[in-house]
Amino acid sequence: STLFPYTTLFRSLVNLLPVLLRLLRPQCRVIVNIQEFRTRRTLWRAWAAPMIMTAHGMIFVDPPDRESLLRWTKLKRPRMECIPIAPNILPVPVTADLRRAWRQRLGIPENNPIMTFFGSFIPSKGLPDLLEAMNNLRRDGVQGCLLLIGFFPYGYTGDREFETRMRELLSDGLAAGWIKLAENCPPEVVSEYLYASDVVVFPFVRGARSNNTTVLAAIVHGLPVITTQGIDTPEGFAEQFGVTLVPAGDPAALTKRLKEVLLSDEEKTRLDRKSV
C-alpha cells in the first residue's frame, strides 16, 4: 500500500509518454509494444488507451489481442503488427548420459517420473492446483517427483504473502523429497532440468495463451505439455501448439490426465509425438 501512489504516478507517466514524445520530439517515431491487452480489466485498458492511440505504431505478441485492440483504437488507429513471442529458454545440447547426470544432480532416481512446472511462482500460475493434483496422485499410489523451477517475485505485499503460503504448502513434500525446488537458476541450468523432466505442467488459472514463453520453452525442448483451457485460451490452441488441455481450476481433471500419462507408455509416446 505504501508503494501505491508512486506506482500510480509511474503508470500515468508511462501512458502519457507517446503524447509527450510527439509534442517534444515531433521528428521521433513512437512505437508501443503492448501485451495481454485482451485479458486486462476495462479500467486498465481505458488507462492505456491514450498510449496506444497516440503512438505511430504498435506491436503485440498474442494474435487474439488484435480484435480487442481494433475496438479500442477506433478513434485513432496506429499501424499495428503482430510479432509472435519466442521461448524464454533455449535448449542446450543433450545426450542420454547428460540427462541421467542432471537427474542425479536433482537426487531423483532414474525410474521416478518428474513432473515439472517452470516459471514465476505467482497466484495466476495455479501452483496450489498442481500441488493438490500431486497429493491426489500420491494418495492413489502413483509415484512421481514434482520439480518446481522458477522464482518468487519480490514486490507488493501480496507477493510476500503468497510466497509464505506456498512455502508452507510445499514444506512437507520438500522434507520428504518428492518435491524439488530449483529457484533462480541460470538459463542453461533451466534447460538441463527441463530435459531431465518427463512431463511439464502449466496449470494457469485463466488458461494457456500463445504468449506464454514458458510453454514455448517446454515445447522447443520436445517435452509433453499438459496445461489448462480457460477464459484466456484461444480456440484451436491445443492443435496449434501440440499440447494437452484440461479445464482450468480443476485439480481432479489434472490428476486424471497426469495419471493417464504416467501409467501409460502408449499415452506418453503419443504426447511426445504431439510436442514435436
Side-chain angles (χ1 to χ4, degrees):
S1 59
T2 305
L3 294 174
F4 179 76
Y6 303 101
T7 303
T8 302
L9 176 61
F10 177 74
R11 288 177 177 173
S12 300
L13 292 174
V14 168
N15 290 335
L16 292 174
L17 187 58
V19 179
L20 295 174
L21 285 173
R22 294 191 68 158
L23 289 174
L24 300 175
R25 300 288 298 274
Q27 75 279 11
C28 180
R29 306 295 288 179
V30 181
I31 309 297
V32 170
N33 179 4
I34 194 158
Q35 298 191 36
E36 302 182 10
F37 188 78
R38 68 187 172 90
T39 68
R40 301 288 188 171
R41 294 180 179 180
T42 301
L43 182 60
W44 187 96
R45 284 181 281 183
W47 193 279
M51 176 175 63
I52 62 177
M53 286 193 294
T54 54
H56 294 97
M58 181 168 49
I59 296 170
F60 59 99
V61 301
D62 197 11
D65 275 348
R66 183 185 295 274
E67 183 178 345
S68 183
L69 287 166
L70 288 173
R71 288 198 305 269
W72 280 83
T73 55
K74 285 182 179 179
L75 295 178
K76 189 177 187 306
R77 182 167 296 154
R79 178 182 176 183
M80 59 178 71
E81 294 289 342
C82 179
I83 301 178
I85 207 161
N88 58 356
I89 298 293
L90 297 179
V92 298
V94 62
T95 65
D97 288 340
L98 283 172
R99 185 175 186 272
R100 279 192 293 270
W102 297 332
R103 290 176 66 97
Q104 289 172 1
R105 183 201 299 164
L106 288 164
I108 301 173
E110 185 64 27
N111 60 350
N112 198 7
I114 300 177
M115 287 149 283
T116 296
F117 169 88
F118 160 51
S120 56
F121 305 145
I122 57 177
S124 63
K125 299 299 181 69
L127 286 175
D129 290 343
L130 177 55
L131 188 57
E132 182 176 342
M134 286 295 300
N135 282 317
N136 291 341
L137 287 175
R138 293 183 63 79
R139 281 193 293 269
D140 292 344
V142 180
Q143 295 302 308
C145 179
L146 175 61
L147 173 60
L148 303 176
I149 310 171
F151 61 95
F152 287 100
Y154 297 99
Y156 300 113
T157 302
D159 294 332
R160 295 192 295 273
E161 291 172 350
F162 179 75
E163 178 179 355
T164 299
R165 177 189 169 211
M166 282 306 306
R167 290 195 185 277
E168 290 175 355
L169 291 174
L170 296 172
S171 59
D172 288 344
L174 288 168
W178 63 268
I179 295 179
K180 302 290 183 179
L181 186 58
E183 296 186 74
N184 302 306
C185 298
E188 61 274 14
V189 174
V190 173
S191 178
E192 292 168 0
Y193 286 167
L194 286 174
Y195 273 129
S197 306
D198 295 285
V199 180
V200 184
V201 188
F202 300 101
F204 300 124
V205 172
R206 293 175 58 95
R209 302 187 304 266
S210 58
N211 64 335
N212 292 133
T213 56
T214 51
V215 175
L216 298 178
I219 292 171
V220 300
H221 281 76
L223 293 164
V225 174
I226 300 174
T227 185
T228 49
Q229 172 85 44
I231 58 176
D232 288 348
T233 308
E235 185 177 352
F237 183 88
E239 293 75 18
Q240 180 182 359
F241 290 95
V243 302
T244 293
L245 297 176
V246 298
D250 190 342
L254 182 56
T255 302
K256 181 175 182 292
R257 194 70 187 98
L258 282 169
K259 188 185 298 185
E260 290 169 350
V261 172
L262 295 178
L263 298 182
S264 169
D265 290 338
E266 180 181 345
E267 186 64 16
K268 175 71 161 48
T269 301
R270 189 184 72 82
L271 272 179
D272 280 333
R273 286 199 301 266
K274 281 183 67 177
S275 69
V276 174

